[in-house]
C-alpha cells in the first residue's frame, strides 16, 4: 500500500469502507438485533436510541435490522448481476475478438445498439416482460450488463491475439480454446477487474433505483432501494428512515470506487 | 459531411434494430393482446374475431412493418387499460421529460467545466483535495437519494419549493421550469462530479505532452498554454462523456420523476409496466430510445467537428 513513500489513500480508505460493509453483511446473515420483519406498534417511528440504533419505521420495525438484511439483498443482486454480465461477456467477447469475421461484425453491431441503450431502460424492458422480484432483477440487469463487458473483453482479445506469446502457444500446438482461456484471459484480468468494480457499483445503483420504483425486489425481501421508497412517504416525520439506507448505499458504492481507483494507481 | 451522413445512417439502422428487438420481445413474451384487451372471460370466437381484426394472424415481420409504419405516422396503438390512443397519452409527456433533461444537462455543464478547470489548475492544493473528496462521495450518490435529500433541504427546511407541487407547462411555463430546477439538480449532481474528475485528469495527462513544453518554450504564459492549447485537446474526452451522460440522464429522469411526482415519460412507463399495458410500455420505450439515439448521433457529429482526426478514420 505504500509506494514511492506515498501512501495510497484511495486503497486504504476504500478497503476500510468495503471491509466495514462486508462485515455488516456477514453479521447480518447470521444475526440481526431484531427480526427484520417483526412489527411493533409501540415503537412506531421511534427515534435513534441505544435500543434502536437507527430508529424504527412506520410499522415499528427496527431499521438497523432491516438495513442489515437489505444491504445483503442489494449485495447479492449486484454480485449476481456482475457475475452474469462478466461470464457471458467474457464468452462473447473472447469468441468475437479471437475469431473476428462476419459473426463478430453482426454481434458487435448488435452490441453497439444495446450499448447505446441506457441499462436501466433495458432492465425495465426485461422487468416488464419477466415480472418483478429478486431473481428477475438479477436476470434483467445481468443481461443489460453483458454488452459492456463483451466490449471490453473483445478489445483486449484483439490486442492480445497477435502477440508473441500467443503465436508461441499456437506453435506448441495449443488448441484455440486453450489459447483463449488459459493464455489470453489471464492477461485481461487487470482491465476486467476495474470493469467489474465499476459494473458492481452500477449494479448497486440500478438495483436500488429499480426497487425504489417498486419494480425490483418485492416484499417480504428487504432492499435498500425499497426502504428508501417507503421512507419517502414519511420523509418529513421521520427523516432518519430515509437517511440510513441511503447512507449505506453511498458507502457501498464509495468503498468499491475508491478500491478500484486505488488498485488502478497501484499498477 | 460524409462522416455526418454515415452517422445518420448508423442511427437509422440502430433504430431499426432496437424497434425490431422491442417488438419481437413483446410479441413473443407478453401473451396475446386480444385476450388482454377482452379479458379472460371472453369467448374464444370473440377473441379469434378480434385477432383477425387486429391482424394478429399475419406473419410476425408483416406485423412489425405495420406497427413501425403506424408509429412513424404517429399512431402508437391503443392502450389496454385506458382504451385511448397511446399517442395522445404520450405526446404531452415528452416535453416534460425533455425539459427536465435539458435543464439537468445545462446544470451539469455549468457546474462541471469551471470546477474541473479550477481543480486542474490547482492540482495538489487544499481546495483541489477537498473537491476531490466531495466528488468521490457525490459520485456514489444514487440520484433518487440526492432527490430525497434535496426535497428535505430545499423543500422542507429552506422552503424554496413545495414538494409535490408540480405545475403543468401548459398552465404556467415559468412555474414549471422553477419546479423542475430541483429535480434537474438531483440528476445533474452525480454526473457533474464525474465530469469534474474526468476533466481534471484529462487536463493533467494532456499537460505532460511535448507540445505543451514547446508552447511554454515559445514564451507563452501558463494561462495561454492552458486555454489555447491544453483545453482544446483535454475537452475532447469530456465531450464524449457529456454526450453519454445526456443519454443517461434521459433514462435517469424516469426515477427522479417518481421522487418529485412529475408526470413525465417515466411516470407513465411505470404505471403501464405495473398494469401490463404493453402498447404504452412499447411506445414509451421506443420514444426514450429515439431520444437517446438522436442525442448519440448529434454527439458523434459534434465530436467529428471538434476533433477532425475522428472523421478521417
Amino acid at each position: 500500500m505504500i509506494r514511492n513513500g506515498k501512501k495510497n489513500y484511495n486503497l486504504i480508505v476504500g478497503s476500510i469502507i468495503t471491509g466495514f460493509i462486508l462485515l455488516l453483511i456477514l453479521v447480518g446473515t447470521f444475526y440481526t438485533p431484531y427480526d427484520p420483519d417483526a412489527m411493533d406498534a409501540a415503537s412506531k417511528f421511534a427515534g435513534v436510541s441505544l435500543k434502536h440504533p437507527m430508529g424504527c419505521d412506520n410499522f415499528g420495525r427496527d431499521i438497523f435490522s432491516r438495513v442489515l438484511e437489505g444491504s445483503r439483498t442489494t449485495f447479492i443482486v449486484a454480485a449476481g448481476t456482475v457475475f452474469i454480465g462478466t461470464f457471458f461477456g467474457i464468452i462473447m467477447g473472447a469468441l468475437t475478438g479471437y475469431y473476428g469475421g462476419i459473426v463478430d461484425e453482426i454481434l458487435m453491431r448488435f452490441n453497439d445498439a444495446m450499448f447505446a441503450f441506457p441499462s436501466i431502460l433495458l432492465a425495465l424492458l426485461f422487468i416488464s416482460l419477466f415480472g418483478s422480484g429478486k431473481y428477475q432483477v438479477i436476470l434483467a440487469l445481468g443481461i443489460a450488463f453483458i454488452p459492456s463487458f463483451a466490449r471490453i473483453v473483445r478489445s483486449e482479445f484483439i490486442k492480445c491475439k497477435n502477440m508473441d506469446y500467443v503465436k508461441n502457444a499456437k506453435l506448441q500446438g495449443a488448441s484455440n480454446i486453450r489459447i483463449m482461456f488459459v493464455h489470453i484471459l489471464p492477461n485481461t484480468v487487470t482491465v476486467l477487474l476495474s470493469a467489474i468494480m465499476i459494473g458492481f457499483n452500477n449494479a448497486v445503483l440500478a438495483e436500488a433505483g429499480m426497487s425504489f420504483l417498486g419494480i425490483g425486489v418485492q416484499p417480504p425481501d428487504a432492499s435498500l432501494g425499497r426502504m428508501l421508497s417507503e421512507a419517502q412517504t414519511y420523509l418529513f416525520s421521520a427523516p432518519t428512515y430515509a437517511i440510513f439506507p441511503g447512507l449505506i448505499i453511498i458507502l457501498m458504492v464509495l468503498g468499491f470506487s475508491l478500491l478500484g481507483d486505488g488498485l488502478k494507481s497501484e499498477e | 459531411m460524409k462522416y455526418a451522413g454515415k452517422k445518420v445512417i448508423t442511427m437509422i439502422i440502430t433504430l431499426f434494430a432496437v424497434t425490431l428487438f422491442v417488438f419481437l420481445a413483446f410479441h413473443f413474451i407478453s401473451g396475446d393482446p386480444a385476450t388482454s384487451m377482452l379479458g379472460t372471460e371472453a369467448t374464444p370466437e370473440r377473441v379469434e374475431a378480434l385477432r383477425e381484426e387486429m391482424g394478429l394472424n399475419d406473419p410476425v415481420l408483416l406485423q412489425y412493418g405495420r406497427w413501425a409504419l403506424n408509429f412513424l405516422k404517429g399512431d402508437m396503438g391503443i392502450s389496454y387499460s385506458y382504451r385511448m390512443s397511446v399517442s395522445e397519452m404520450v405526446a404531452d409527456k415528452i416535453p416534460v421529460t425533455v425539459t427536465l433533461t435539458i435543464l439537468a444537462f445545462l446544470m451539469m455543464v455549468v457546474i462541471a467545466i469551471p470546477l474541473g478547470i479550477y481543480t486542474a489548475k490547482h492540482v495538489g492544493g487544499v481546495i483541489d483535495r477537498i473537491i476531490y473528496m466531495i466528488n468521490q462521495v457525490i459520485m456514489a450518490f444514487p440520484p433518487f437519494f440526492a432527490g430525497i435529500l434535496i426535497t428535505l433541504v430545499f423543500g422542507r427546511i429552506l422552503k424554496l419549493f413545495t414538494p409535490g407541487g408540480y405545475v403543468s407547462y401548459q398552465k404556467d411555463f415559468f412555474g414549471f421550469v422553477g419546479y423542475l430546477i430541483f429535480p434537474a439538480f438531483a440528476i445533474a449532481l452525480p454526473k457533474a462530479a464525474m465530469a469534474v474528475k474526468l476533466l481534471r485528469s484529462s487536463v493533467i495527462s494532456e499537460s505532460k505532452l511535448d507540445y505543451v513544453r514547446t508552447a511554454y518554450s515559445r514564451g507563452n504564459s501558463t494561462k495561454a498554454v492552458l486555454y489555447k492549447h491544453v483545453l482544446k485537446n483535454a475537452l475532447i474526452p469530456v465531450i464524449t462523456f457529456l454526450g453519454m451522460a445526456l443519454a443517461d440522464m434521459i433514462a435517469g429522469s424516469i426515477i427522479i420523476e417518481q421522487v418529485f411526482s412529475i408526470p413525465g415519460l417515466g411516470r407513465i412507463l411505470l404505471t403501464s409496466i405495473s398494469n401490463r399495458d404493453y402498447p404504452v410500455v412499447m411506445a414509451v420505450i421506443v420514444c426514450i430510445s429515439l431520444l437517446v439515439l438522436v442525442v448519440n448521433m448529434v454527439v458523434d457529429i459534434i465530436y467529428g467537428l471538434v476533433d477532425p482526426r475522428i472523421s478521417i478514420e
Side-chain angles (χ1 to χ4, degrees):
Chain A
M1 284 189 191
I2 300 170
R3 181 168 290 193
N4 305 334
K6 245 176 143 182
K7 277 186 184 169
N8 189 336
Y9 285 108
N10 280 344
L11 197 63
I12 297 170
V13 178
S15 309
I16 293 172
I17 295 177
T18 307
F20 171 70
I21 293 290
L22 289 179
L23 189 72
L24 273 189
I25 292 169
L26 195 69
V27 169
T29 312
F30 300 106
Y31 167 78
T32 49
Y34 295 84
D35 177 358
D37 298 320
M39 301 182 191
D40 175 13
S43 49
K44 186 176 169 180
F45 290 133
V48 174
S49 64
L50 275 179
K51 245 174 93 189
H52 299 286
M54 295 183 182
C56 288
D57 69 3
N58 50 319
F59 293 115
R61 296 176 293 194
D62 180 48
I63 292 178
F64 181 58
S65 305
R66 290 185 67 72
V67 162
L68 286 179
E69 203 193 67
S71 38
R72 189 175 78 238
T73 316
T74 303
F75 184 82
I76 289 172
V77 171
T81 301
V82 171
F83 178 77
I84 293 179
T86 323
F87 186 78
F88 291 102
I90 286 177
I91 292 179
M92 205 167 141
L95 292 176
T96 53
Y98 188 75
Y99 288 111
I102 185 81
V103 181
D104 169 47
E105 194 62 32
I106 293 171
L107 268 178
M108 277 306 128
R109 284 280 150 260
F110 180 70
N111 217 347
D112 281 346
M114 295 257 284
F115 194 73
F117 231 63
S119 55
I120 182 98
L121 195 64
L122 211 56
L124 281 175
L125 178 107
F126 289 125
I127 285 294
S128 78
L129 295 170
F130 304 151
S132 44
K134 188 156 76 178
Y135 299 104
Q136 284 88 333
V137 172
I138 296 179
L139 195 61
L141 283 176
I143 296 174
F145 275 45
I146 295 173
S148 61
F149 283 107
R151 200 176 226 209
I152 292 162
V153 174
R154 175 177 175 268
S155 69
E156 282 299 298
F157 266 69
I158 289 176
K159 209 161 57 187
C160 290
K161 75 177 176 187
N162 291 322
M163 285 192 174
D164 286 342
Y165 73 89
V166 175
K167 286 179 188 157
N168 193 8
K170 261 187 198 154
L171 286 177
Q172 287 181 351
S175 68
N176 283 328
I177 299 286
R178 190 178 162 82
I179 290 175
M180 274 190 268
F181 296 104
V182 179
H183 293 281
I184 301 181
L185 191 60
N187 284 298
T188 64
V189 162
T190 39
V191 180
L192 210 55
L193 203 65
S194 78
I196 287 174
M197 295 274 182
I198 296 169
F200 181 86
N201 281 348
N202 287 337
V204 169
L205 293 176
E207 186 280 326
M210 286 166 78
S211 301
F212 177 76
L213 295 176
I215 52 170
V217 175
Q218 297 297 320
D221 283 332
S223 130
L224 297 175
R226 263 208 89 73
M227 293 180 71
L228 275 170
S229 102
E230 284 159 20
Q232 213 207 335
T233 324
Y234 309 102
L235 188 57
F236 301 138
S237 46
T240 49
Y241 186 10
I243 286 168
F244 285 115
L247 212 61
I248 297 290
I249 297 179
I250 291 173
L251 283 180
M252 211 183 256
V253 175
L254 183 65
F256 266 89
S257 74
L258 287 178
L259 211 56
D261 277 4
L263 285 176
K264 216 186 273 169
S265 54
E266 275 299 280
E267 279 159 23
Chain B
M1 244 13 252
K2 208 175 151 197
Y3 173 75
K6 226 177 179 175
K7 287 293 158 195
V8 174
I9 293 171
T10 316
M11 192 214 94
I12 293 171
I13 295 174
T14 315
L15 184 65
F16 170 73
V18 168
T19 49
L20 186 65
F21 176 70
V22 171
F23 185 83
L24 291 181
F26 280 92
H27 184 84
F28 287 116
I29 308 181
S30 69
D32 185 16
T35 326
S36 334
M37 276 189 96
L38 292 172
T40 43
E41 285 162 24
T43 58
E45 290 80 33
R46 277 198 60 194
V47 173
E48 191 46 44
L50 188 67
R51 282 185 64 87
E52 195 58 48
E53 191 195 318
M54 290 169 74
L56 293 173
N57 293 330
D58 295 338
V60 183
L61 284 180
L62 187 69
Q63 288 188 43
Y64 166 74
R66 195 166 11 187
W67 172 76
L69 221 64
N70 282 337
F71 207 98
L72 284 178
K73 282 189 229 152
D75 172 14
M76 306 178 186
I78 309 278
S79 153
Y80 292 164
S81 27
Y82 298 102
R83 296 293 158 106
M84 61 188 279
S85 149
V86 176
S87 327
E88 261 174 57
M89 288 169 69
V90 172
D92 63 331
K93 310 287 188 297
I94 294 177
V96 178
T97 302
V98 169
T99 316
L100 181 60
T101 313
I102 292 174
L103 270 180
F105 182 75
L106 291 179
M107 260 183 215
M108 170 178 75
V109 173
V110 168
I111 298 172
I113 303 283
L115 215 57
I117 294 173
Y118 181 86
T119 52
K121 254 162 89 182
H122 300 88
V123 173
V126 181
I127 296 179
D128 173 50
R129 278 195 203 160
I130 293 172
I131 291 178
Y132 179 81
M133 278 190 284
I134 296 175
N135 249 343
Q136 287 287 359
V137 176
I138 289 179
M139 279 195 306
F141 258 72
F144 61 92
F145 185 58
I148 290 177
L149 288 186
I150 286 172
T151 316
L152 196 64
V153 174
F154 291 102
R156 179 70 177 182
I157 300 171
L158 298 176
K159 296 214 186 325
L160 289 179
F161 74 107
T162 340
Y166 168 80
V167 191
S168 160
Y169 64 94
Q170 284 122 331
K171 243 189 246 160
D172 171 11
F173 186 75
F174 291 103
F176 166 72
V177 173
Y179 184 75
L180 288 190
I181 284 177
F182 297 96
F185 187 53
I187 302 175
L189 211 54
K191 298 283 177 202
M194 286 178 208
V196 168
K197 195 180 170 190
L198 184 66
L199 183 56
R200 177 180 178 271
S201 64
S202 175
V203 169
I204 293 172
S205 64
E206 203 63 38
S207 309
K208 287 182 187 143
L209 296 181
D210 286 345
Y211 76 88
V212 178
R213 197 185 46 201
T214 312
Y216 275 121
S217 71
R218 291 172 60 170
N220 284 303
S221 65
T222 320
K223 228 179 184 172
V225 171
L226 181 67
Y227 289 106
K228 285 194 184 147
H229 299 276
V230 174
L231 261 188
K232 260 189 196 166
N233 289 307
L235 276 175
I236 291 171
V238 179
I239 290 174
T240 323
F241 171 80
L242 292 182
M244 276 165 61
L246 181 57
D248 251 12
M249 282 173 166
I250 299 172
S253 64
I254 297 174
I255 301 179
I256 289 297
E257 280 173 14
Q258 205 67 8
V259 179
F260 289 86
S261 40
I262 299 164
L265 283 177
R267 229 355 175 28
I268 194 173
L269 178 63
L270 286 168
T271 16
S272 333
I273 287 177
S274 47
N275 291 342
R276 305 195 164 263
D277 196 344
Y278 293 117
V280 184
V281 177
M282 271 163 88
V284 175
I285 287 184
V286 171
C287 283
I288 296 180
S289 349
L290 184 65
L291 287 175
V292 170
L293 289 176
V294 169
V295 164
N296 283 335
M297 182 189 72
V298 172
V299 169
D300 274 347
I301 293 174
I302 293 177
Y303 198 41
L305 292 177
V306 179
D307 187 0
R309 284 170 299 184
I310 306 265
S311 45
I312 291 168
E313 269 170 28

